[in-house]
Structure formats: structure tokens, C-alpha cells
Amino acid sequence: MKLSTKGRYGVAAMYELALHYGEGPISLKSIAANQGISEHYLEQLICTLRNAGYVTSVRGAQGGYVLSKDPAVITVGDIITTMEGPIALVDCLLTEADRNSYCEKAGACVTRGVWAKVCDSINSVLDSISLADLCREEKN
Amino acid sequence: MKLSTKGRYGVAAMYELALHYGEGPISLKSIAANQGISEHYLEQLICTLRNAGYVTSVRGAQGGYVLSKDPAVITVGDIITTMEGPIALVDCLLTEADRNSYCEKAGACVTRGVWAKVCDSINSVLDSISLADLCREEKN
DNA sequence: TTTATTCCCGACTAAAACAATCGGTTTTGT
DNA sequence: ACAAAACCGATTGTTTTAGTCGGGAATAAA
């Protein structure tokens, strides 16, 4: 299991924005340079974040991107979910309805319990860490 | 984040073998039919498990596969790691040396802590569940 | 000894996801 | 006017996924 660059770059970019929260817009170019990411590629990713309402763009010279919300209320889980879709290790865990329903397939149903536990554990870690937490860590 | 069929089918097949542990070899055909998996595809997967020493094959008519160890000492984590490689969400967490080293990239290093936490949490769940646990669950 | 069963092995492939790249358009501060 | 940015759509090379196909070798049962 690997995390794709979508998720990693997404969190990296958001972290960069969080570091400069309140200092006006940060350009794509500086984020990309700082994190060593292709500018054009990052553009696509940050577009997803914008559509999800986590960042706001400022066009024109001296423009860039700004967090739409306070770093304390954006979690790593929010970002990962936006970039990679819901953390559902298997399809039958995608919706709440699925989780409560009974699986037809004999053995599959038993193993499903395992995947559910893993998903819950991943989510609880990701949701417990905010961008503000990351920034705080940097200072130490 | 999704689990590939390698991991899912691998665990499903091992679970099937665990259910019939001590009853002689189980054929690929019956495992595949029971779990609704392509026989030829499953063959490749189980080959990986065999190379890793988790299953033993018995050739010839009435042959099949048998668990090499007691279901109680094979964990879901063992199987997933065999099928999908080590759970390292990002490359710089692959080895123990990497984990202890310091990252050069400024922001990347801070986010790495997040990925390490998630990996540890996944592993602790996967390693805590044995095939015997799954079989026990079935009976309830 | 023949035959049916079952594992063994290597090659091939279609489709999707991943990770970009490229080129041009629009907006806006200086 | 000009340069700095964001915006947008199309295209592309590579890798992974999830198989398929076909023949070969071992062995139990007839």
C-alpha cells in the first residue's frame, strides 16, 4: 500500500499554505519550488482542493492561493479524502448502508470486518491531525 | 486508498485454507469457486504465498494446498505484506534506517511524521488478527 | 498402464491509474 | 503596456492491475 503523489503533494501544499496563513496569497510557483514538485502538476491538484473549498485563489500579479479556513479546522484526513477519495479499502465499505448490510459471500464477509477495522484506524489518525498541529511541530 | 485484489484474494484464500486446516489438501478450484475468483489468477497469487512459506502444495490428483503453519500464528498482516509488499505509505519509511534518519526537505519531513503514525496504526491492526481469529468469528 | 486431476510455469494483454507535460487564455497589480 | 499569476483542456509515457491462455509435469485412482 502506497500513498499516491496526489495525497502527499496535496498535504505538502496545504502545509505550505498553513505556514504562511495570514500573510496574503502564496504563488503556485513558490509552493512547487519549495516542495520540489512540478508546477503544472501541482496546479491540477490544488484545483481539486479549491473545488472542495479548502483554498481560495487570487488571480493576477502578486496573486496566489490562500487557505479558506483556519489551519486548526482543516485536518490531514480532509485533504487526503479530497485528493484520493474516501478511505474505503474495499468497495463494500464505501457507504454507511454498506457497512450495516450483510454480505452474501460467505468468507468475504468475515474478512470485511478486518478491512473495516483498518479503515477506522486510518481515519482516526488522519482526522486527529490538523494543519495547525503540523505547523506547531515544525517549531520544535 | 484501496486494497488491491492481491491482498483481498490472498487473505480470502488463506482464510479458506484455515477453515479446513487439518483436513488434507484443498484444491485451487474449490477455493476459487468458493470465493468467486478466477482460478488462473488465484494460482499466481497463491504461488506468492507458497514462495513466502505460508502454504505448501500437494501435486497430483486429490492434491491441493495446505497451510504450512498453524492458523493461530499466521496474521492478516503477514499475508498483506507478502502480497502487497511492506506497508510504507511513502518511500522514506521503507527501512528502519530511513525512519531514524532526518529528511532534508523542509516540509516533507514534518508530514512524514503523519505517514509514520498511519503506517504504525495499520500494522498494529493487521498484525493483531490471526487466521484463527477469523475462523472463530465465523462461528458466531 | 492409462487417465483424470491437479499443481507448475511463462508469456501475453486490455484497461485503468499515475504522474506528468504542453500550450494557450484570462485576470490583475505595477 | 507589461509581467506575473491563475485557469483550462488536451495529450502522453509509464506502471500497475487484473486477468487470460496454453502447455508441461506429478500423482492418485481406475
Side-chain angles (χ1 to χ4, degrees), chain B residues 27-46:
Chain B
S27 75
L28 195 61
K29 183 183 259 177
S30 76
I31 302 175
N34 243 356
Q35 297 281 338
I37 305 174
S38 149
E39 205 176 319
H40 271 291
Y41 184 43
L42 183 59
E43 190 178 13
Q44 291 171 37
L45 305 185
I46 219 162

PDB file of all heavy atoms in Angstrom, chain B residues 27-46:
ATOM      1  N   SER B  27      -8.150 -27.998  -3.052  1.00  0.00           N
ATOM      2  CA  SER B  27      -7.756 -27.653  -4.417  1.00  0.00           C
ATOM      3  C   SER B  27      -8.010 -26.182  -4.725  1.00  0.00           C
ATOM      4  O   SER B  27      -8.904 -25.547  -4.158  1.00  0.00           O
ATOM      5  CB  SER B  27      -8.519 -28.511  -5.420  1.00  0.00           C
ATOM      6  OG  SER B  27      -9.837 -28.064  -5.530  1.00  0.00           O
ATOM      7  N   LEU B  28      -7.189 -25.695  -5.623  1.00  0.00           N
ATOM      8  CA  LEU B  28      -7.322 -24.325  -6.115  1.00  0.00           C
ATOM      9  C   LEU B  28      -8.739 -24.099  -6.617  1.00  0.00           C
ATOM     10  O   LEU B  28      -9.360 -23.076  -6.331  1.00  0.00           O
ATOM     11  CB  LEU B  28      -6.330 -24.156  -7.271  1.00  0.00           C
ATOM     12  CG  LEU B  28      -6.014 -22.751  -7.744  1.00  0.00           C
ATOM     13  CD1 LEU B  28      -5.403 -21.962  -6.625  1.00  0.00           C
ATOM     14  CD2 LEU B  28      -5.058 -22.825  -8.911  1.00  0.00           C
ATOM     15  N   LYS B  29      -9.220 -25.078  -7.355  1.00  0.00           N
ATOM     16  CA  LYS B  29     -10.542 -24.973  -7.959  1.00  0.00           C
ATOM     17  C   LYS B  29     -11.619 -24.695  -6.918  1.00  0.00           C
ATOM     18  O   LYS B  29     -12.454 -23.815  -7.094  1.00  0.00           O
ATOM     19  CB  LYS B  29     -10.870 -26.273  -8.711  1.00  0.00           C
ATOM     20  CG  LYS B  29     -12.197 -26.229  -9.430  1.00  0.00           C
ATOM     21  CD  LYS B  29     -12.499 -27.574 -10.098  1.00  0.00           C
ATOM     22  CE  LYS B  29     -12.196 -27.522 -11.581  1.00  0.00           C
ATOM     23  NZ  LYS B  29     -12.393 -28.806 -12.249  1.00  0.00           N
ATOM     24  N   SER B  30     -11.569 -25.425  -5.813  1.00  0.00           N
ATOM     25  CA  SER B  30     -12.627 -25.236  -4.819  1.00  0.00           C
ATOM     26  C   SER B  30     -12.500 -23.894  -4.109  1.00  0.00           C
ATOM     27  O   SER B  30     -13.498 -23.247  -3.790  1.00  0.00           O
ATOM     28  CB  SER B  30     -12.637 -26.393  -3.819  1.00  0.00           C
ATOM     29  OG  SER B  30     -11.570 -26.247  -2.900  1.00  0.00           O
ATOM     30  N   ILE B  31     -11.269 -23.447  -3.885  1.00  0.00           N
ATOM     31  CA  ILE B  31     -11.083 -22.121  -3.275  1.00  0.00           C
ATOM     32  C   ILE B  31     -11.633 -21.047  -4.194  1.00  0.00           C
ATOM     33  O   ILE B  31     -12.399 -20.175  -3.782  1.00  0.00           O
ATOM     34  CB  ILE B  31      -9.590 -21.826  -3.011  1.00  0.00           C
ATOM     35  CG1 ILE B  31      -8.983 -22.891  -2.094  1.00  0.00           C
ATOM     36  CG2 ILE B  31      -9.421 -20.446  -2.412  1.00  0.00           C
ATOM     37  CD1 ILE B  31      -7.491 -22.723  -1.883  1.00  0.00           C
ATOM     38  N   ALA B  32     -11.252 -21.154  -5.468  1.00  0.00           N
ATOM     39  CA  ALA B  32     -11.668 -20.154  -6.445  1.00  0.00           C
ATOM     40  C   ALA B  32     -13.189 -20.123  -6.564  1.00  0.00           C
ATOM     41  O   ALA B  32     -13.801 -19.050  -6.592  1.00  0.00           O
ATOM     42  CB  ALA B  32     -11.031 -20.446  -7.796  1.00  0.00           C
ATOM     43  N   ALA B  33     -13.790 -21.294  -6.630  1.00  0.00           N
ATOM     44  CA  ALA B  33     -15.243 -21.368  -6.763  1.00  0.00           C
ATOM     45  C   ALA B  33     -15.915 -20.785  -5.524  1.00  0.00           C
ATOM     46  O   ALA B  33     -16.850 -19.990  -5.620  1.00  0.00           O
ATOM     47  CB  ALA B  33     -15.665 -22.819  -6.973  1.00  0.00           C
ATOM     48  N   ASN B  34     -15.423 -21.169  -4.370  1.00  0.00           N
ATOM     49  CA  ASN B  34     -15.996 -20.713  -3.112  1.00  0.00           C
ATOM     50  C   ASN B  34     -15.961 -19.198  -2.956  1.00  0.00           C
ATOM     51  O   ASN B  34     -16.873 -18.600  -2.397  1.00  0.00           O
ATOM     52  CB  ASN B  34     -15.220 -21.339  -1.953  1.00  0.00           C
ATOM     53  CG  ASN B  34     -16.086 -22.240  -1.123  1.00  0.00           C
ATOM     54  OD1 ASN B  34     -17.292 -22.333  -1.368  1.00  0.00           O
ATOM     55  ND2 ASN B  34     -15.499 -22.913  -0.159  1.00  0.00           N
ATOM     56  N   GLN B  35     -14.892 -18.595  -3.430  1.00  0.00           N
ATOM     57  CA  GLN B  35     -14.722 -17.158  -3.244  1.00  0.00           C
ATOM     58  C   GLN B  35     -15.040 -16.357  -4.502  1.00  0.00           C
ATOM     59  O   GLN B  35     -14.952 -15.131  -4.502  1.00  0.00           O
ATOM     60  CB  GLN B  35     -13.284 -16.854  -2.790  1.00  0.00           C
ATOM     61  CG  GLN B  35     -12.911 -17.456  -1.447  1.00  0.00           C
ATOM     62  CD  GLN B  35     -13.465 -16.657  -0.283  1.00  0.00           C
ATOM     63  OE1 GLN B  35     -13.766 -15.486  -0.409  1.00  0.00           O
ATOM     64  NE2 GLN B  35     -13.599 -17.303   0.863  1.00  0.00           N
ATOM     65  N   GLY B  36     -15.372 -17.070  -5.582  1.00  0.00           N
ATOM     66  CA  GLY B  36     -15.730 -16.361  -6.813  1.00  0.00           C
ATOM     67  C   GLY B  36     -14.564 -15.646  -7.456  1.00  0.00           C
ATOM     68  O   GLY B  36     -14.677 -14.497  -7.886  1.00  0.00           O
ATOM     69  N   ILE B  37     -13.426 -16.316  -7.493  1.00  0.00           N
ATOM     70  CA  ILE B  37     -12.221 -15.717  -8.056  1.00  0.00           C
ATOM     71  C   ILE B  37     -11.781 -16.523  -9.272  1.00  0.00           C
ATOM     72  O   ILE B  37     -11.988 -17.737  -9.316  1.00  0.00           O
ATOM     73  CB  ILE B  37     -11.073 -15.736  -7.018  1.00  0.00           C
ATOM     74  CG1 ILE B  37     -11.520 -15.061  -5.707  1.00  0.00           C
ATOM     75  CG2 ILE B  37      -9.822 -15.088  -7.559  1.00  0.00           C
ATOM     76  CD1 ILE B  37     -10.507 -15.176  -4.598  1.00  0.00           C
ATOM     77  N   SER B  38     -11.180 -15.856 -10.240  1.00  0.00           N
ATOM     78  CA  SER B  38     -10.609 -16.548 -11.394  1.00  0.00           C
ATOM     79  C   SER B  38      -9.541 -17.535 -10.914  1.00  0.00           C
ATOM     80  O   SER B  38      -8.647 -17.184 -10.159  1.00  0.00           O
ATOM     81  CB  SER B  38      -9.980 -15.550 -12.357  1.00  0.00           C
ATOM     82  OG  SER B  38      -8.884 -16.141 -13.021  1.00  0.00           O
ATOM     83  N   GLU B  39      -9.672 -18.779 -11.411  1.00  0.00           N
ATOM     84  CA  GLU B  39      -8.774 -19.829 -10.955  1.00  0.00           C
ATOM     85  C   GLU B  39      -7.317 -19.536 -11.330  1.00  0.00           C
ATOM     86  O   GLU B  39      -6.407 -19.638 -10.506  1.00  0.00           O
ATOM     87  CB  GLU B  39      -9.221 -21.140 -11.595  1.00  0.00           C
ATOM     88  CG  GLU B  39      -8.831 -22.373 -10.821  1.00  0.00           C
ATOM     89  CD  GLU B  39      -9.409 -23.616 -11.479  1.00  0.00           C
ATOM     90  OE1 GLU B  39     -10.569 -23.573 -11.930  1.00  0.00           O
ATOM     91  OE2 GLU B  39      -8.673 -24.626 -11.565  1.00  0.00           O
ATOM     92  N   HIS B  40      -7.123 -19.182 -12.596  1.00  0.00           N
ATOM     93  CA  HIS B  40      -5.759 -18.919 -13.068  1.00  0.00           C
ATOM     94  C   HIS B  40      -5.110 -17.751 -12.347  1.00  0.00           C
ATOM     95  O   HIS B  40      -3.920 -17.748 -12.072  1.00  0.00           O
ATOM     96  CB  HIS B  40      -5.783 -18.636 -14.574  1.00  0.00           C
ATOM     97  CG  HIS B  40      -5.641 -19.862 -15.405  1.00  0.00           C
ATOM     98  ND1 HIS B  40      -4.464 -20.579 -15.471  1.00  0.00           N
ATOM     99  CD2 HIS B  40      -6.530 -20.513 -16.187  1.00  0.00           C
ATOM    100  CE1 HIS B  40      -4.633 -21.600 -16.281  1.00  0.00           C
ATOM    101  NE2 HIS B  40      -5.878 -21.601 -16.726  1.00  0.00           N
ATOM    102  N   TYR B  41      -5.910 -16.769 -12.069  1.00  0.00           N
ATOM    103  CA  TYR B  41      -5.376 -15.590 -11.383  1.00  0.00           C
ATOM    104  C   TYR B  41      -4.994 -15.940  -9.945  1.00  0.00           C
ATOM    105  O   TYR B  41      -3.907 -15.596  -9.473  1.00  0.00           O
ATOM    106  CB  TYR B  41      -6.413 -14.470 -11.412  1.00  0.00           C
ATOM    107  CG  TYR B  41      -5.940 -13.168 -10.814  1.00  0.00           C
ATOM    108  CD1 TYR B  41      -4.664 -12.672 -11.094  1.00  0.00           C
ATOM    109  CD2 TYR B  41      -6.752 -12.420  -9.984  1.00  0.00           C
ATOM    110  CE1 TYR B  41      -4.236 -11.482 -10.557  1.00  0.00           C
ATOM    111  CE2 TYR B  41      -6.332 -11.223  -9.446  1.00  0.00           C
ATOM    112  CZ  TYR B  41      -5.080 -10.754  -9.734  1.00  0.00           C
ATOM    113  OH  TYR B  41      -4.664  -9.557  -9.197  1.00  0.00           O
ATOM    114  N   LEU B  42      -5.889 -16.650  -9.293  1.00  0.00           N
ATOM    115  CA  LEU B  42      -5.614 -17.048  -7.914  1.00  0.00           C
ATOM    116  C   LEU B  42      -4.353 -17.901  -7.828  1.00  0.00           C
ATOM    117  O   LEU B  42      -3.610 -17.837  -6.846  1.00  0.00           O
ATOM    118  CB  LEU B  42      -6.813 -17.823  -7.356  1.00  0.00           C
ATOM    119  CG  LEU B  42      -6.708 -18.256  -5.890  1.00  0.00           C
ATOM    120  CD1 LEU B  42      -6.526 -17.058  -4.974  1.00  0.00           C
ATOM    121  CD2 LEU B  42      -7.937 -19.049  -5.468  1.00  0.00           C
ATOM    122  N   GLU B  43      -4.127 -18.670  -8.872  1.00  0.00           N
ATOM    123  CA  GLU B  43      -2.941 -19.534  -8.913  1.00  0.00           C
ATOM    124  C   GLU B  43      -1.666 -18.706  -8.730  1.00  0.00           C
ATOM    125  O   GLU B  43      -0.760 -19.072  -7.986  1.00  0.00           O
ATOM    126  CB  GLU B  43      -2.908 -20.256 -10.256  1.00  0.00           C
ATOM    127  CG  GLU B  43      -1.885 -21.350 -10.330  1.00  0.00           C
ATOM    128  CD  GLU B  43      -1.941 -22.061 -11.672  1.00  0.00           C
ATOM    129  OE1 GLU B  43      -2.598 -21.541 -12.599  1.00  0.00           O
ATOM    130  OE2 GLU B  43      -1.333 -23.133 -11.789  1.00  0.00           O
ATOM    131  N   GLN B  44      -1.633 -17.577  -9.441  1.00  0.00           N
ATOM    132  CA  GLN B  44      -0.463 -16.703  -9.343  1.00  0.00           C
ATOM    133  C   GLN B  44      -0.292 -16.162  -7.931  1.00  0.00           C
ATOM    134  O   GLN B  44       0.813 -16.051  -7.408  1.00  0.00           O
ATOM    135  CB  GLN B  44      -0.599 -15.532 -10.301  1.00  0.00           C
ATOM    136  CG  GLN B  44      -0.516 -15.915 -11.748  1.00  0.00           C
ATOM    137  CD  GLN B  44      -0.871 -14.747 -12.647  1.00  0.00           C
ATOM    138  OE1 GLN B  44      -0.537 -13.610 -12.358  1.00  0.00           O
ATOM    139  NE2 GLN B  44      -1.554 -15.027 -13.741  1.00  0.00           N
ATOM    140  N   LEU B  45      -1.420 -15.815  -7.339  1.00  0.00           N
ATOM    141  CA  LEU B  45      -1.356 -15.209  -6.018  1.00  0.00           C
ATOM    142  C   LEU B  45      -0.886 -16.226  -4.981  1.00  0.00           C
ATOM    143  O   LEU B  45      -0.034 -15.934  -4.143  1.00  0.00           O
ATOM    144  CB  LEU B  45      -2.731 -14.661  -5.620  1.00  0.00           C
ATOM    145  CG  LEU B  45      -3.376 -13.683  -6.608  1.00  0.00           C
ATOM    146  CD1 LEU B  45      -4.665 -13.133  -6.035  1.00  0.00           C
ATOM    147  CD2 LEU B  45      -2.426 -12.555  -6.968  1.00  0.00           C
ATOM    148  N   ILE B  46      -1.457 -17.412  -5.075  1.00  0.00           N
ATOM    149  CA  ILE B  46      -1.116 -18.435  -4.093  1.00  0.00           C
ATOM    150  C   ILE B  46       0.337 -18.876  -4.260  1.00  0.00           C
ATOM    151  O   ILE B  46       0.985 -19.325  -3.303  1.00  0.00           O
ATOM    152  CB  ILE B  46      -2.103 -19.622  -4.180  1.00  0.00           C
ATOM    153  CG1 ILE B  46      -2.416 -20.113  -2.766  1.00  0.00           C
ATOM    154  CG2 ILE B  46      -1.575 -20.741  -5.040  1.00  0.00           C
ATOM    155  CD1 ILE B  46      -3.665 -20.969  -2.687  1.00  0.00           C
TER     156      ILE B  46
END
